[in-house]
Amino acid sequence: SAKESGRSAFAFFARQMNEKVQSVVRLSNDLRYAIDRDELQVYYQPIVDADTLETVAAEALVRWQHPRLGLVSPADFIPIAEDTGFIGPLTEWVVQRACRDAGQWRQKNDRELRVSVNLSNRHRHLENCVSLAAASLQQAGLPREALTFEITESFAMEDVERLQAIRAGGIGLAIDDFGTGYSSLSYLRRLPADVLKIDRSFVSELGTDADATMLVGSIIAIAHGLRMRVVAEGVETREQLAYLQAAGCDLLQGYFFSKPLPNAAFNDFLDRHSVSSEIDGGTVRGYA
Ligand code: C2E
Ligand code: MG
Ligand code: MG
Ligand code: MG
């Protein structure tokens, strides 16, 4: 009967919920030991200059190699870290690692490479982050401007005011995933950010969707008007690259150049792309 099948559907749903809750509990428990057990890794994705295609920076993206589950996506464990308070220690660990690695890139390459680290909008360790960043930078022999924090539009304005301290200290601040939140232009104006990252969802529709194409051009113009540099996220094709260059985008990031790489592979990438790439008869030398 309908009633019976309704009941069994509910039982199925309840069982699924229960499994989900249990797996979250298990994951959050495992996550607490992930640093000590050396299961976390930082990958780096190159950020290139839009004109020269030279790598000028990298975004640090955390990875968790779980002993039984394999690679767990940050999209799955960052929310758990936020709920359990582990986001504080995790962020500190990523900042330390990113500064240490960036210090080595600079020594090896004699170039002013920068590194950016994502900040969760939920953790309450902002002050901690700034003082920790200062210590990590000093330890790595890096100037403040070598580090950029990435935040999203969902960052509360109260916290944004505290972000002034970050900028005042000389550390960079980027607005991540721009265009996906509900921020107003006045919010944008009050943010002390020096970089704006256009979300991948707009970039992926460049050239195919007229509205997305128009919006990318407008976002770049607004950001430049507010004295921010613009990064396009998720650049995957040569056509998107050409659009972004024509639109005056400053910096580019995406699979077209490279996926996020473990530090050793990122160092190899830097070696292979030490000279600026040229766009040459439709192909981009050094890429694809
Ligand atoms: P995000 O900060 O916007 O990072 C960019 C994401 O887009 C990364 O996913 C990257 O691998 C992916 N991506 C880059 N280029 C392309 C492309 O061309 N095509 C496609 N399809 N994807 C591309 P990832 O590494 O899985 O990270 C997902 C999110 O997890 C990040 O989004 C960030 O919000 C969060 N996250 C990662 N690491 C950390 C961290 O250390 N701390 C915090 N709080 N969040 C982090
Ligand atoms: Mg980011
Ligand atoms: Mg992003
Ligand atoms: Mg994103």
Side-chain angles (χ1 to χ4, degrees):
S1 72
K3 199 169 168 190
E4 245 164 44
S5 72
R7 206 178 295 138
S8 76
F10 176 76
F12 175 73
F13 176 72
R15 202 171 336 111
Q16 274 204 325
M17 275 300 286
N18 195 29
E19 274 165 23
K20 188 156 178 160
V21 168
Q22 279 183 4
S23 82
V24 167
V25 168
R26 220 176 300 129
L27 271 187
S28 63
N29 199 43
D30 293 349
L31 192 54
R32 285 193 294 153
Y33 303 101
I35 292 179
D36 292 340
R37 292 178 181 161
D38 217 21
E39 292 166 5
L40 295 185
Q41 264 189 296
V42 181
Y43 277 42
Y44 298 100
Q45 187 176 34
I47 298 174
V48 309
D49 181 286
D51 296 323
T52 65
L53 304 189
E54 200 178 355
T55 301
V56 294
E59 177 171 6
L61 295 155
V62 71
R63 298 285 179 268
W64 182 17
Q65 190 68 50
H66 189 283
R68 274 177 303 104
L69 303 172
L71 206 61
V72 185
S73 160
D76 292 323
F77 70 85
I78 292 291
I80 295 177
E82 288 173 338
D83 287 344
T84 56
F86 186 67
I87 192 68
L90 183 140
T91 307
E92 292 180 8
W93 183 83
V94 175
V95 169
Q96 265 166 343
R97 202 39 83 88
C99 288
R100 187 196 73 182
D101 293 341
Q104 289 172 357
W105 309 334
R106 282 198 176 206
Q107 280 184 344
K108 277 181 54 184
N109 292 276
D110 197 30
R111 269 156 60 193
E112 302 198 329
L113 293 154
R114 305 171 63 143
V115 70
S116 58
V117 173
N118 291 283
L119 279 191
S120 160
N121 60 345
R122 291 262 311 273
H123 77 79
R124 299 274 158 264
H125 295 263
L126 215 51
E127 278 85 2
N128 245 0
C129 263
V130 180
S131 53
L132 177 101
S136 297
L137 285 163
Q138 198 183 18
Q139 212 163 26
L142 290 171
R144 300 272 173 114
E145 59 272 15
L147 178 68
T148 294
F149 282 128
E150 297 193 3
I151 61 157
T152 63
E153 293 167 82
S154 52
F155 223 87
M157 204 66 218
E158 308 94 80
D159 291 325
V160 166
E161 253 127 47
R162 298 193 293 151
L163 290 172
Q164 304 281 3
I166 292 180
R167 287 293 296 133
I171 294 168
L173 188 67
I175 310 169
D176 203 356
D177 303 340
F178 185 77
T180 58
Y182 297 94
S183 63
S184 66
L185 291 175
S186 87
Y187 177 89
L188 193 60
R189 189 164 66 94
R190 287 173 62 197
L191 270 180
D194 58 333
V195 170
L196 183 148
K197 300 185 77 171
I198 303 178
D199 190 67
R200 176 155 60 84
S201 56
F202 297 99
V203 174
S204 69
E205 295 197 291
L206 270 176
T208 57
D209 182 277
D211 290 345
T213 308
M214 182 281 295
L215 278 172
V216 167
S218 306
I219 293 169
I220 292 171
I222 289 172
H224 284 170
L226 295 170
R227 294 169 300 282
M228 290 190 254
R229 304 227 296 156
V230 182
V231 181
E233 301 191 87
V235 180
E236 294 184 349
T237 70
R238 200 187 308 134
E239 290 72 27
Q240 291 162 0
L241 163 64
Y243 264 102
L244 290 159
Q245 286 179 317
C249 191
D250 305 287
L251 301 159
L252 311 170
Q253 179 181 357
Y255 292 174
F256 182 80
F257 305 103
S258 173
K259 291 197 170 181
L261 302 167
N263 189 41
F266 179 70
N267 274 290
D268 293 343
F269 180 91
L270 286 176
D271 289 343
R272 275 184 284 119
H273 296 277
S274 54
V275 289
S276 66
S277 307
E278 272 167 29
I279 298 176
D280 175 13
T283 67
V284 183
R285 197 144 49 82
Y287 296 101

